[in-house]
Amino acid sequence: MKRTGRFSWFYFSSPQSFYPLAGALQPWFAGLAVILCAIGLYISFFVAPTDAQQGESYRIIFIHVPAAWMSMFLYLVMGFWSGVGLVLNTRLSSMVATALAPTGAMFTFVALWTGALWGKPTWGTWWVWDARLTSELILLFLYIGFMALQAAIDDQRRADKAGAVLALVGVINIPIIYFSVKWWSTLHQGASVSMTSAPTMAKTMLLGMLIMALGFWMYSIAATLARVRCVILERERQTEWVAAEIGGQA
Amino acid sequence: MNWGSWQNFFAMGGYGLYVWGSYAVTLIALIAEIVALITRRRGVIERLAKYYAARRRNHETEA
Amino acid sequence: MIRALGWVLRRDLLLAFRRRGDVVNALVFFVIVVSLFPLGVGPEASQLRNMAPGVLWVAALLACMLSLARLFAPDHQDGTLEQMLLAGEPLVVLVLGKVISHWLMSGLPLVLMAPLLGLQFDLPADALAVLCVSLLIGTPVLSLIGAVGAALTLGVRGSGVLVSLLVLPLYVPVLIFGAGSVVAVAAGTGPEAHLLLLGGFLALALVLAPWATAAALRIAME
């Protein structure tokens, strides 16, 4: 629906126009991801000093916290686009939501893994039932539930909408779940064992975390753009333009 | 941050297993996702190419 | 609207009474699961007393979840659900009626059964009372949230396990504060805060869940 002579953002809301845009943008985001992660890794290994209490093991924070941030952020974005697809009945929004889920689940897994590996030297056990890790575990279940529900429903539009309802219910529940788990963990552990408690975090540490988070964000965008292109091809296979596209590729 | 030597860098003050275990698994996860995406795209294009070829053959035999 | 609610309630209760087996099965499941835990961890009284709130609450969760299968599926199969969607009454009201009857048939029996099972775990009387109250407030929330999951997976293959996957993470806050209230009694800190929070969850669920369930039903049936 392009108004003659004037640019409209809604132009890109059709899979056909978004597909080439995604293809064009994706390498840029991938490049940004590589650069930002390289800078972040340099800071985390060669600039940030040794921590007084935790020694070198704290360096896991440069992966753990950005991954946890991304896992939560991607869920919110997924919920947002799901909701847009549900309310406005746009196919592309739902496709983007579906494309976001695996990357979000991957970061949730990374957050859990690095959390466990951080917990072992710091608190002696492979699993620490602190608020953040437990909430991350439940978030992983929410992601898996979303993907399982969409995979189980054969009718595409129903899968999109049902996934949207589930994602939105999840978005409302995440603060409740986090609050509940936080309360539960402080009660049972007494002394605060917060994995992110670093009140006197050196500026370099914070900078490293932020840059890694940005790098992960760029990576997520690049991965999602690539995945949504696959989803578009799969779903729009009955259209002429996909046939032409494949004919050009094969 | 001056490590002094490569050995110190890899040992990470005794926490080498945990730090490198974290970074390694993260790298593996990222690479696995990228590989999965590439494989998925190739698979989609292959499948769709076959689908279109079959559809063309159908149309030709019908026409 | 109230008449529609009453009608749905009466119909569901009548149907449930005709198939008492389904209802009793969930209750028996609750009892068996709770009895398995001492067999697994040993009969030492203090350990059981510590475990009891969590065990009883988790078993209640699982029993409630199992009974979700008969919330919408039978009506979907015989076409009643479609009629409900076409009826002039607001779907939210009909959904609420179904959830209430579901709770009466699966949640309320758990509440009544819990004191007996709590005795198996050597819970003191005040803890038993709080356990019942927490289940009384909490099981409706479980039914309400479960209804959303049941509606989303209506007619989907493998829906039994899928519903558990979707609904159990959402049950976590109810579990935490439900079991927590009984633990608080034992610890002497008083269960009021927990029970009030559970009440808050109930209020929130009463407002949001039927609406989400109705939306999910429409999506499933279109």
Side-chain angles (χ1 to χ4, degrees):
Chain A
M1 268 211 241
K2 193 173 181 183
R3 276 181 258 162
T4 47
R6 284 183 61 200
F7 179 77
S8 166
W9 281 111
F10 285 112
Y11 174 70
F12 290 113
S13 67
S14 87
Q16 181 175 358
S17 14
F18 190 73
Y19 181 83
L21 176 68
L25 287 176
Q26 187 219 333
W28 291 101
F29 283 108
L32 272 173
V34 169
I35 294 173
L36 283 167
C37 284
I39 298 176
L41 286 173
Y42 178 78
I43 295 179
S44 65
F45 283 124
F46 298 110
V47 176
T50 309
D51 183 67
Q53 292 152 314
Q54 295 187 23
E56 305 298 345
S57 72
Y58 93 98
R59 290 188 196 274
I60 299 176
I61 203 180
F62 295 108
I63 299 234
H64 173 77
V65 173
W69 284 346
M70 280 322 298
S71 69
M72 285 190 264
F73 176 65
L74 287 176
Y75 194 89
L76 290 175
V77 175
M78 188 177 90
F80 173 74
W81 286 118
S82 267
V84 167
L86 182 67
V87 169
L88 297 182
N89 226 352
T90 47
R91 286 195 325 277
L92 183 62
S93 327
S94 308
M95 292 185 204
V96 170
T98 306
L100 281 164
T103 308
M106 185 270 292
F107 276 121
T108 315
F109 166 75
V110 166
L112 288 170
W113 178 273
T114 52
L117 281 173
W118 190 8
K120 181 71 168 126
T122 321
W123 288 292
T125 49
W126 282 111
W127 183 258
V128 183
W129 284 100
D130 88 316
R132 160 167 262 134
L133 268 192
T134 312
S135 299
E136 282 291 311
L137 184 63
I138 298 176
L139 186 63
L140 183 63
F141 299 150
L142 289 174
Y143 270 117
I144 293 177
F146 178 83
M147 294 192 285
L149 181 64
Q150 295 213 311
I153 299 179
D154 292 326
D155 172 20
Q156 200 54 255
R157 274 319 274 160
R158 180 182 162 186
D160 286 344
K161 292 184 182 176
V165 171
L166 184 66
L168 290 171
V169 168
V171 164
I172 295 175
N173 267 278
I174 283 177
I176 299 178
I177 292 174
Y178 183 70
F179 163 69
S180 309
V181 172
K182 197 166 165 102
W183 173 90
W184 165 86
S185 88
T186 51
L187 177 78
H188 288 266
Q189 277 168 334
S192 54
V193 269
S194 165
M195 302 205 79
T196 55
S197 67
T200 54
M201 197 185 283
K203 278 220 182 65
T204 46
M205 299 182 194
L206 194 56
L207 186 66
M209 260 167 48
L210 285 173
I211 293 189
M212 284 303 282
L214 275 174
F216 281 167
W217 187 14
M218 297 298 111
Y219 168 84
S220 307
I221 297 179
T224 307
L225 287 174
R227 193 174 289 113
V228 84
R229 274 164 60 91
C230 287
V231 170
I232 291 175
L233 286 179
E234 284 162 1
R235 291 216 213 169
E236 301 286 296
R237 73 176 97 104
Q238 302 291 355
T239 60
E240 287 295 322
W241 73 269
V242 172
E245 181 76 31
I246 299 291
Q249 298 264 5
Chain B
M1 175 75 207
N2 188 6
W3 288 98
S5 72
W6 277 113
Q7 268 142 324
N8 290 347
F9 180 67
F10 281 117
M12 280 285 159
Y15 296 115
L17 173 70
Y18 305 105
V19 175
W20 296 118
S22 301
Y23 279 83
V25 165
T26 308
L27 190 64
I28 292 173
L30 292 174
I31 291 179
E33 187 177 18
I34 296 172
V35 168
L37 277 171
I38 296 174
T39 315
R40 181 172 178 175
R41 182 172 169 80
R42 284 211 195 115
V44 166
I45 292 178
E46 226 179 272
R47 254 197 344 263
L48 286 184
K50 288 194 195 137
Y51 169 75
Y52 290 129
R55 201 171 64 171
R56 233 175 325 177
R57 278 199 303 274
N58 265 343
H59 286 165
E60 281 161 18
T61 55
E62 278 171 20
Chain C
M1 248 173 33
I2 303 290
R3 267 183 45 214
L5 188 72
W7 175 84
V8 168
L9 228 104
R10 245 186 49 229
R11 174 177 178 273
D12 266 28
L13 288 175
L14 191 60
L15 286 175
F17 265 116
R18 287 189 189 153
R19 299 188 134 267
R20 269 189 297 273
D22 292 346
V23 174
V24 171
N25 281 344
L27 194 58
V28 172
F29 172 82
F30 180 52
V31 174
I32 293 180
V33 166
V34 169
S35 310
L36 284 178
F37 277 88
L39 291 170
V41 299
E44 204 233 309
S46 64
Q47 187 182 37
L48 290 181
R49 232 176 291 129
N50 281 336
M51 274 172 42
V55 166
L56 284 158
W57 255 97
V58 171
L61 280 187
L62 296 177
C64 187
M65 218 182 53
L66 280 188
S67 62
L68 289 175
R70 57 173 185 76
L71 184 53
F72 292 121
D75 285 342
H76 177 58
Q77 276 164 353
D78 67 16
T80 318
L81 197 58
E82 210 170 336
Q83 295 303 317
M84 283 189 193
L85 261 83
L86 293 172
E89 305 295 333
L91 188 57
V92 178
V93 170
L94 300 176
V95 163
L96 193 59
K98 288 196 70 66
V99 170
I100 294 176
S101 75
H102 174 264
W103 175 72
L104 285 174
M105 288 280 92
S106 53
L108 193 54
L110 298 181
V111 175
L112 299 172
M113 201 66 183
L116 289 172
L117 297 173
L119 284 175
Q120 269 189 320
F121 284 74
D122 195 30
L123 276 180
D126 53 356
L128 283 178
V130 171
L131 176 67
C132 283
V133 174
S134 71
L135 281 173
L136 190 65
I137 306 177
T139 43
V141 185
L142 299 183
S143 291
L144 283 162
I145 298 177
V148 182
L152 283 173
T153 56
L154 197 57
V156 172
R157 61 172 188 277
S159 61
V161 182
L162 187 58
V163 141
S164 337
L165 181 56
L166 300 184
V167 147
L168 283 176
L170 301 175
Y171 277 176
V172 166
V174 185
L175 169 65
I176 287 178
F177 288 106
S181 64
V182 185
V183 171
V185 171
T189 53
E192 293 82 18
H194 303 252
L195 294 175
L196 279 173
L197 263 167
L198 276 181
F201 288 160
L202 180 58
L204 191 64
L206 268 173
V207 170
L208 293 179
W211 189 67
T213 310
L217 279 177
R218 287 218 173 80
I219 292 170
M221 300 287 294
E222 65 185 23

